[in-house]
Amino acid sequence: MIRNYLKVALRSILRNKLSSFINIFGLALALSCSLLIYLFIKDELSYDQYHTHADRIYRVTRNFLSPDGSVNLHLGHLAPPFGPLLKNDFAEIEEVARTLKMRALFAYQENAEEKKSFNEENVYYAEPEVFRIFSIPVLEGSQDKSLTGPFNIMLSENAAKRYFGEESAVGKSWKVNNRYEVVVSGVYQDFPKQSHWHPDILVSFSTLNDTTIYGRRGLETNWGNNSFGTYILASETFDAKKTEQQFPAFVDRHMGRQMNDNNAPLPSTWTNLFLQKLTDIHLHSHLDSEEETNGNINNVYIMGVIGLFIILIACFNFVNLSTARASKRAKEVGLRKVVGALKNQLINQYLSESVLVALFALLLAMGFSYLAVEWLNDFTGKSLTLDLAGDWNLLLLLIGSAVAVGLLAGIYPAFVLSGFKPALILKGQQGTLKGKGSLRKFLVVSQFAISIILIIATLVTLQQLQFLNNRKLGYEKDQVVTIRYFRDLAPSYDAFYNELKKESSIKNAARSSRIPTGRLLDSQGTARVQKGDSLSDTNVVLKNINIDHEFFDTYQITFAAGRNFSREVKSDDSLSFILNEAAVKMMGLTSDNIVDKGFEYGGMKGRVIGVVK
């Protein structure tokens, strides 16, 4: 019976080539788009899921509050003393690991005549507990001992091959930033793409105990350097919300000991800690400091809705075309019923046709997807793969989805066609869908409505991208090259600057604590500005950048009022401030009336000498 259904369905498809082509091609495009969207969503939802204890791993975050209680900064990093104290004070925390990212210049002796050096961006000081919290396969060395001793480093598999080829990297010596020497003690497997951090080199955390690098005292008492990633592995009975409720008392208990002023507010009134699930970091975390650029759960929802819309459009199109051809198939239905075909047999026949169309469309969609996946990778910056031969679950899901789409798209036409009465058909009195066109009208309207929504959304997105690419940012970004500043350069910076200016292709050079495109994470709290004869608190938290005299000229940032810093005015180095228009507006003032006014920020009193646009 099934064989007969398929044979007749295939004949019907071949006999109506144009409508079959439209159905198959349209459904194939829809399935291909949905498959690509599925690959994107699956990749986004899989971040950090590969760890054995992913459901018990948390990152500890820290926020800072303004005087009015609002959050002015929320970091994904902590000060170094918090890590050991968390392990000590909370019994349900089984392991704690701290990390500190750095960028380093490594040098090693290739041979007796040649010395090589290279910059690495993804270098982390890490405690050995990271191997007990995260699932990091170790290829060479010991998981428990390779990061225990000071001045030991471990390389990712890719980094080891990059620098040593097939030769073992263990035992090789490198010099870091021309300051200290480290020894390779192990090699670990590269972190998957679906990880929120990707260290190429891990340096033993105990190296930081050296006073020339950081110092043990700084690790125990520096509450202001919030650069340390802090991860915990909790017990199976761990209650994150209950633990968070204990954090204010924990912060006061330990940070309060650092306060010399008994009248100072408790630390928990201006800062606190929070727990964030490891698996939530990629899609749900947009803090002021992150290890890498995260995704957005809203994008996942939007892409899912778009995929559903595309499938619906194809299904509606299928239904409309099938019902539109009803009059041509009326006599076929009549003859089948005259010779004894039952209604359920006709329904099965027409459902088999729609399922067969969906399966043909699936085959075509697979081909489209294989061709388009590289384009999708270029567009999203991902490394998505479509391996149906090695992923049987996906293949079965696709076949099941195609069958489901075929059944859903074909069920209405099947019931309509099978409901025709043979006597009326043979007399020429039935064969149209008079009185049954409401659903078709609804489907057509819905199909056009969804298409228009998608077109409008696409146009809005294109306009937004054009706006982002063409918007004047307040400074000139073209032809500006930025490099990481090394503190070893400070004593000889003037000579370095003069050498740069000798190069005819270099118009200017400047240095600053951050660049305009970077996140403004540095703040000294609220500012006070002169009103009348005294300074008044503005209750406005300002972010600051330390710059030199050439900064505004190099970035071609224009002044709305006042002047730039001057080398001829000695007080400019310590008693002068330059604000931007946004800061002035937040304080309820104007660019013209704030210049030369007294100003206090970060414990330093001086004057505002200029306002930039």
Side-chain angles (χ1 to χ4, degrees):
M1 182 66 73
I2 295 176
R3 181 182 178 185
N4 180 64
Y5 285 155
L6 294 176
K7 185 185 294 185
V8 174
L10 185 60
R11 287 174 180 172
S12 177
I13 291 171
L14 294 174
R15 186 166 58 247
N16 302 282
K17 294 182 177 59
L18 180 60
S19 61
S20 298
F21 171 77
I22 294 173
N23 275 332
I24 292 173
F25 189 77
L27 203 53
L29 284 178
L31 289 173
S32 179
C33 291
S34 299
L35 176 57
L36 294 174
I37 289 173
Y38 167 81
L39 293 177
F40 173 82
I41 291 177
K42 181 184 177 183
D43 182 82
E44 288 289 284
L45 294 177
S46 65
Y47 269 72
D48 293 307
Q49 298 282 356
Y50 65 93
H51 297 289
T52 304
H53 305 299
D55 60 325
R56 294 196 283 131
I57 303 174
Y58 295 82
R59 180 174 70 171
V60 189
T61 69
R62 183 182 186 184
N63 76 355
F64 294 86
L65 305 178
S66 303
D68 62 1
S70 62
V71 177
N72 70 71
L73 198 65
H74 195 160
L75 303 174
H77 298 78
L78 307 183
F82 282 117
L85 295 172
L86 286 166
K87 175 72 180 295
N88 184 69
D89 285 23
F90 297 94
E92 290 185 316
I93 296 179
E94 296 180 356
E95 300 288 351
V96 174
R98 292 172 293 176
T99 64
L100 176 64
K101 188 175 184 179
M102 71 166 178
R103 296 164 180 81
L105 175 68
F106 288 91
Y108 68 99
Q109 200 74 31
E110 175 74 10
N111 49 54
E113 296 81 22
E114 186 178 8
K115 183 178 181 180
K116 288 190 175 182
S117 60
F118 52 92
N119 283 296
E120 279 288 353
E121 293 286 318
N122 293 314
V123 182
Y124 286 83
Y125 292 101
E127 292 184 298
E129 285 78 9
V130 295
F131 290 99
R132 294 198 282 272
I133 295 177
F134 300 106
S135 300
I136 310 174
V138 175
L139 306 179
E140 291 186 71
S142 169
Q143 180 173 297
D144 296 322
K145 298 179 180 179
S146 291
L147 283 184
T148 302
F151 303 102
N152 285 335
I153 68 171
M154 295 183 71
L155 306 181
S156 68
E157 184 179 12
N158 181 58
K161 288 182 178 179
R162 189 162 67 240
Y163 298 118
F164 300 105
E166 298 302 319
E167 182 183 357
S168 175
V170 175
K172 300 293 193 299
S173 296
W174 283 354
K175 195 161 188 178
V176 184
N177 292 338
N178 293 319
R179 293 171 58 203
Y180 58 94
E181 194 170 275
V182 295
V183 177
V184 179
S185 58
V187 176
Y188 56 89
Q189 194 175 91
D190 293 333
F191 281 46
K193 292 286 185 180
Q194 295 78 20
S195 175
H196 79 283
W197 66 311
H198 294 87
D200 289 320
I201 298 174
L202 294 175
V203 184
S204 59
F205 200 85
S206 57
T207 306
L208 291 172
N209 289 327
D210 192 294
T211 53
T212 63
I213 301 172
Y214 196 92
R216 183 183 296 274
R217 179 170 175 77
L219 293 174
E220 295 174 350
T221 62
N222 188 343
W223 299 95
N225 181 8
N226 295 283
S227 303
F228 291 75
T230 305
Y231 302 90
I232 68 170
L233 176 64
S235 67
E236 293 183 357
T237 59
F238 182 72
D239 188 332
K241 290 185 178 180
K242 183 178 178 181
T243 303
E244 279 189 339
Q245 292 171 359
Q246 301 175 50
F247 278 162
F250 167 80
V251 169
D252 290 338
R253 184 165 61 249
H254 293 288
M255 288 187 66
R257 297 174 184 174
Q258 311 300 318
M259 298 289 192
N260 296 321
D261 184 1
N262 291 329
N263 295 320
L266 289 172
S268 62
T269 62
W270 52 269
T271 186
N272 209 347
L273 305 182
F274 301 89
L275 291 172
Q276 183 179 55
K277 292 194 69 171
L278 177 71
T279 51
D280 286 344
I281 291 176
H282 179 67
L283 289 177
H284 299 274
S285 181
H286 303 92
L287 303 183
D288 291 304
S289 67
E290 298 283 1
E291 296 297 346
E292 297 178 5
T293 302
N294 288 336
N296 192 318
I297 189 62
N298 291 328
N299 292 340
V300 173
Y301 293 147
I302 291 170
M303 293 300 288
V305 170
I306 290 174
L308 178 61
F309 277 178
I310 292 173
I311 286 291
L312 286 177
I313 290 174
C315 289
F316 291 171
N317 192 63
F318 187 102
V319 171
N320 289 330
L321 285 175
S322 297
T323 52
R325 291 177 52 237
S327 59
K328 293 184 178 180
R329 305 195 67 175
K331 290 184 179 181
E332 175 191 339
V333 173
L335 287 173
R336 284 178 179 274
K337 284 193 172 184
V338 167
V339 297
L342 301 177
K343 183 174 181 178
N344 66 319
Q345 291 176 322
L346 292 173
I347 291 174
N348 291 335
Q349 175 62 58
Y350 295 125
L351 284 179
S352 64
E353 288 185 22
S354 62
V355 169
L356 193 60
V357 166
L359 291 175
F360 283 148
L362 177 62
L363 291 174
L364 194 57
M366 290 178 183
F368 289 159
S369 299
Y370 274 113
L371 296 175
V373 72
E374 287 303 319
W375 168 85
L376 183 62
N377 285 332
D378 292 339
F379 182 72
T380 61
K382 291 183 173 293
S383 299
L384 305 176
T385 57
L386 182 59
D387 181 18
L388 295 176
D391 191 347
W392 284 96
N393 290 330
L394 177 58
L395 183 59
L396 292 175
L397 176 65
L398 288 174
I399 294 174
S401 298
V403 171
V405 168
L407 292 174
L408 289 173
I411 195 164
Y412 174 70
F415 273 94
V416 169
L417 292 170
S418 63
F420 288 163
K421 296 178 180 180
L424 295 178
I425 293 171
L426 296 177
K427 291 179 181 180
Q429 297 177 5
Q430 186 174 345
T432 63
L433 296 176
K434 289 181 179 179
K436 299 182 180 180
S438 298
L439 180 60
R440 287 188 62 208
K441 291 177 181 177
F442 169 77
L443 294 178
V444 171
V445 171
S446 299
Q447 185 178 7
F448 275 99
I450 294 173
S451 301
I452 291 170
I453 289 172
L454 292 177
I455 291 170
I456 292 174
T458 302
L459 292 176
V460 170
T461 302
L462 289 174
Q463 287 183 333
Q464 184 70 4
L465 289 173
Q466 290 176 352
F467 173 80
L468 290 172
N469 290 327
N470 300 323
R471 171 72 172 174
K472 292 295 182 181
L473 301 177
Y475 68 95
E476 294 300 324
K477 66 185 189 306
D478 297 331
Q479 307 302 320
V480 176
V481 177
T482 62
I483 60 173
R484 183 66 53 180
Y485 183 78
F486 290 95
R487 61 183 178 181
D488 296 340
L489 185 62
S492 56
Y493 177 78
D494 289 340
F496 177 69
Y497 174 81
N498 291 331
E499 287 297 317
L500 290 176
K501 289 300 294 287
K502 289 179 182 178
E503 176 61 47
S504 60
S505 61
I506 296 178
K507 185 177 180 180
N508 207 349
R511 54 180 170 168
S512 58
S513 58
R514 294 190 184 273
I515 60 175
T517 53
R519 284 193 168 186
L520 302 180
L521 301 181
D522 304 320
S523 175
Q524 311 302 319
T526 59
R528 303 176 69 206
V529 67
Q530 181 181 343
K531 292 184 178 179
D533 297 330
S534 61
L535 293 174
S536 299
D537 199 330
T538 62
N539 291 322
V540 175
V541 176
L542 301 180
K543 307 297 176 66
N544 65 277
I545 299 178
N546 298 320
I547 66 173
D548 66 7
H549 301 84
E550 305 298 329
F551 178 83
F552 294 118
D553 290 338
T554 300
Y555 285 100
Q556 298 181 47
I557 298 174
T558 57
F559 277 77
R563 62 177 178 83
N564 193 1
F565 293 119
S566 172
R567 288 187 173 84
E568 282 68 42
V569 182
K570 296 298 181 183
S571 62
D572 279 5
D573 287 341
S574 58
L575 300 175
S576 299
F577 299 89
I578 295 177
L579 307 177
N580 67 7
E581 289 180 309
V584 174
K585 184 178 180 181
M586 288 170 67
M587 292 186 288
L589 300 169
T590 64
S591 301
D592 294 327
N593 64 22
I594 197 173
V595 174
D596 291 332
K597 289 285 183 67
F599 196 77
E600 182 179 355
Y601 180 69
M604 186 177 80
K605 292 182 179 179
R607 289 190 173 275
V608 177
I609 64 170
V611 177
V612 294
K613 289 184 176 296

